[in-house]
Amino acid sequence: MENNELWENVLGDIELQISRPNFLTWLKHSKLLDKNEREGIVMVGLPNNFAKEWVKSRYHKLILGSLRNIDGSIKNVDYTVVNQNPLRPPHTAAKNAQEEASFLESQSPLLEPEVNPKTNLNPRYTFDSFVVGSSNEIAHAAAEAVAKDIGKKYNPLFVYGGVGLGKTHLIQAVGNRVAARHKHAVNVLYASSEKFINDVVWAVRNRRMEDVKKKYRDIDVLIVDDIQFIGGKTATEQEFFYTFNTLYEHNKQIIISSDRPPNSIPTLEERLRSRFEGGMIVDVGYPDYETRLAILKTKARERGFFIDDKVLEEVAARVQKNIRELEGVLNKVVFYEQCKNEKIDEKKLNEIISEAVQVTPKNITANDVVRAVADFFEVAPNDITNRSRKQEVVQPRQIAMYLLRDMLKLSYPHIGDRLGKRDHTTAIHACEKITKECSRDPGLNQKILLIKERLYKM
Amino acid sequence: MKLILLKTNLVDALGSVERAVNESSSLPILKHALVKTVGGKILLVGTNLELAIEYSLPGKVIEGGEIAVPFSLFNSLIKNLMAERVAIEEKDRKITITTDNYEAVLQGQDAAEFPIIPSIQKQTPPLLFPTELFRGALQNVIVAAQYSDIRPEISGVYFKCSGRMITLAATDGFRLAEEKINLPPTASSQDTAAIIPLKTASEALKMFKGSEEITVCIEPNQILLSSPNEKIISRLIDGSFPEYHAVIPHHPPHEVTVNRAEFINAVRLASPFSGRANDVIVRLGENKKVLEVYSVDSALGESLYKIPVKGKGERFSIIFNWKYLLDGLKVFSGNEVTLGVTSSDRAVLLQNPKEPNLLYVVMPIKG
C-alpha cells in the first residue's frame, strides 16, 4: 500500500475516535514521510513542535494500533517536524494583499523576484553565467546572434540536447538579453510546451481560443521549451502551427528547445517539422572535462564559496553526464564544508559522488529495458530479442545489452540468452563496444541517457 | 493547589501571557492558561501552538499543583479586583479566587489536557546579551518586515550571530533594515542564524521589560528567548533569508546630510498630497543647497518643503513611497540623517554617521 493511502486510512480511523477540534488541531496536517520496511518503523511529520510533543504523548498508542491493524509489519512510529510555514496574522493578510496590489506596479522591488511574471523568464539565466565550451559553442554563438538581431538572422532557432545540459539556460539567456536591451519595446514570452498545451486545452474547453491567439501572437520573441511534448497532441500542434506562422510572417523571433532534433520527434506533424528545419538547428552536447571544471568554478564563485581546486577537479572528472548532477554534487560538498564545518576528504567526496551519480532504478525489469530501447529506436521489441541480424536492430540490441549490464547488473550469459540466445561473449563484446563508443561519440551517449531517462519515468 | 499572590504581580503575568492565548481557537483548551507550581515558583503558561509564553511570578505556595484556567474570565476578574492580595485555591478542578471581601469560583480544566510546551535541548550553548541592545535593534529593523504569503522566508526577522557580532535584518522586498550589535565582552556568543517569525518578534518586543540580560537559544526549528522570569518559545521560519548584502549601495556617489526632524516633518507635510502609490518627490535643487520634498495632486494642490543640506552631490530627483521613507527616517535616533543616492531608479541608503551599525535601504518608485 502507498504511504499516502496508508496514512489516510489511519487518519480516517483516528478521526472517529477523537473529537473534531482535537483532530483538526493536532493531526489534520500530519504526513507519513517514510516507512522503513526492514525495521518496521514509520516516520510521521507534524507541522510544529507542539503537535509533535502532543501527538507523541497522547495519540502514539492510537496511531500505532491503527497502523498495525492495517499493516502488521509495523513495529514503531517516530515523529518529526516538517513544513514550517510562517505564522500568519489572519486579519492583516487581506489588507496587505490589497495594499501590495495598489502600488506593486510602480514600486520597484529591492530584491528581484525569482521569475519575471510578465515574461516568465528567470533572471538568473544570463549569457554571463553560461559557461561556453567546445560542446556548446555553436549553440551559444547562434543564441548570441539571435539576441543581437531578433527575427532576422536565424528564425526559428532550434536548440536541442540532453537533459541538464543548459538548453533552458541558453534560450532564457536570449530572452533576458533582449528584455534588458529593449525594455518595454519588445514583448518576450517564455513558455514551457506544457504551459502552451494547458492554455490551448483551457481555451478549447472554455471556447476562448481568441484569448490564447492574442496572448501568443502579440509577442516579439516567443520562447518555447521542451517542444517534443506537443508531438501527438493534434489541437495543440495545430494551434502552435498557426501561431508559428503568424509570428514568422511578421518577422518575430521564435526560439524552441527540445531533447532531440526535429526529425527524431516521431509524433511531430510533418509541416511543423519542416518549419523547424527551416531555421537554425543547433545542439548542446555533453560538456568535456575542461568545460565541466569551468562550470563548477563559475557556480562556486557565483555563490561565494571557496572550494579546493583538487575537489572540483575530482568532481568534474567523475560526474560526466549531466550539469544538474554536477551542481547537486557541488551543493553537497558546500553543505558539508559550510554547515558541518568538515573538511572534505577523499573518502567523503567519493561517498557524495557515488550517492549522486548512482540513482538506483526502482523496479525496472529486463523487459522494461528492452521495450524502452525498442521504443526509442522504433523497432519491434521482438526484433531485439530474436536472432534477427537486420542492420537497424544491431545497435539497439547492443545498447540493450549494455543497459541490462549497466543498470540491472545481469550476468553476461543471462543477457546473451535473453537477447536472441546469443553467446555470453557476444554480450561482453557489445557492452565493451558501447562503453568505448560512449566516450567517443557524444550522440550515442545522449541516446543512452534519453533511454535511461524514459526508464526512470516509467 | 493553594497560592497567595500580590494582585499587581499576577496582572503583570497575565498581561504577558495574554499575547500567546488565542481566544478564537477551535480547541477549547487553548483558551486556557496553565497555572502550575514548580518547587516554590509559580508559573503561568499560555500558547497558541505557534509560540508559547511562560511567566514565572513571585508568590507564596502553600500547596503545590497545576490547573488550566479559562483565560479571559480569569484575566478580567483579576484585573477588576481592588484588593492587594489574592488567594487562589484549586480543588477538583474548581478554582476559588478569594480576597478579604470577595470570592469567585471558576471551572478549570485538567492540566494534563494542556499542550506540552516543547523543551529546548540546550545542545548548543545559549547566547546571552543585554536586553536593551536586543530590543532596540529589533525595534529598528522590524519596521521593514511584513507578512508575505508568497515569500515566507522574508516574513520574519533575520537573526545572525557570528563571532562577537549579532546582525538583525528584515525586508519586505521593497526596503531593508539592518542593525548590527557588537556584543560586550561579558556576553557569550555562538555562531548561528535563524528567521524569527514576525509575530514572535513583535511579541518579544513587548516582553522582557524589567530584565537586564536576555538569553537566546536557537535549535533547528525553534527558538527560545528568556529572562529570569519570562520565556517565549516559538517555531522558526524554514527557508533561507535572501542574500541581501548585494542590494545595499556601497559608497553611493551623492551623499547629502539633512536634519532628521525636519526631513520627517517635510515628508509628513507632503504626504496628504500624494497619490495612490503614496508617492512624494525628494530632489536636490539646482543650487545644491536645499533638499526639496514635493508632492502634487491635481485635485488637492501641492506641497513643497525645503531643507538646507550639507554634503556633496549632483542634482537628483527621486520618487518615494512616503510611508517607507518615513519608517526609515524614524529608525534613527540622531539629529541628522544621510541620504546616499546612486540614481533615480536605484536603491537609496539612509544612514546616520553617528549610528554606524544601523542602515536602512529603500527602493524608489519608478518615475
Side-chain angles (χ1 to χ4, degrees), chain B residues 156-175:
Chain B
V157 174
Y158 182 60
F159 177 99
K160 184 179 163 202
C161 181
S162 114
R164 307 208 59 77
M165 170 97 79
I166 289 197
T167 308
L168 289 171
T171 176
D172 62 0
F174 303 114
R175 63 248 174 90

Side-chain angles (χ1 to χ4, degrees), chain B residues 162-190:
Chain B
S162 114
R164 307 208 59 77
M165 170 97 79
I166 289 197
T167 308
L168 289 171
T171 176
D172 62 0
F174 303 114
R175 63 248 174 90
L176 167 90
E178 186 204 63
E179 179 154 5
K180 294 196 165 95
I181 309 172
N182 285 313
L183 290 176
T186 52
S188 69
S189 80
Q190 172 77 26

Side-chain angles (χ1 to χ4, degrees), chain B residues 4 64 77 102 112 117 136 179 195 207 212 214 251 265 270 274 295 318 343 352 365:
Chain B
I4 295 175
L77 288 184
Y102 175 78
I117 307 302
E179 179 154 5
I195 308 170
M207 296 169 61
E212 281 184 0
I214 180 170
H251 308 295
N265 203 18
S274 66
S295 75
I318 301 175
S343 68
N352 174 6
I365 291 175

Side-chain angles (χ1 to χ4, degrees), chain A residues 194-228:
Chain A
E194 191 200 358
K195 172 89 180 90
F196 191 81
I197 295 167
N198 286 344
D199 280 352
V200 172
V201 170
W202 173 87
V204 169
R205 196 189 308 139
N206 295 302
R207 296 170 194 278
R208 298 280 289 280
M209 209 39 140
E210 287 312 309
D211 290 10
V212 172
K213 285 195 203 301
K214 193 166 174 335
K215 174 177 172 189
Y216 285 97
R217 294 181 194 178
D218 264 3
I219 289 169
D220 301 302
V221 180
L222 175 65
I223 304 172
V224 181
D225 210 348
D226 283 329
I227 197 77
Q228 72 273 13

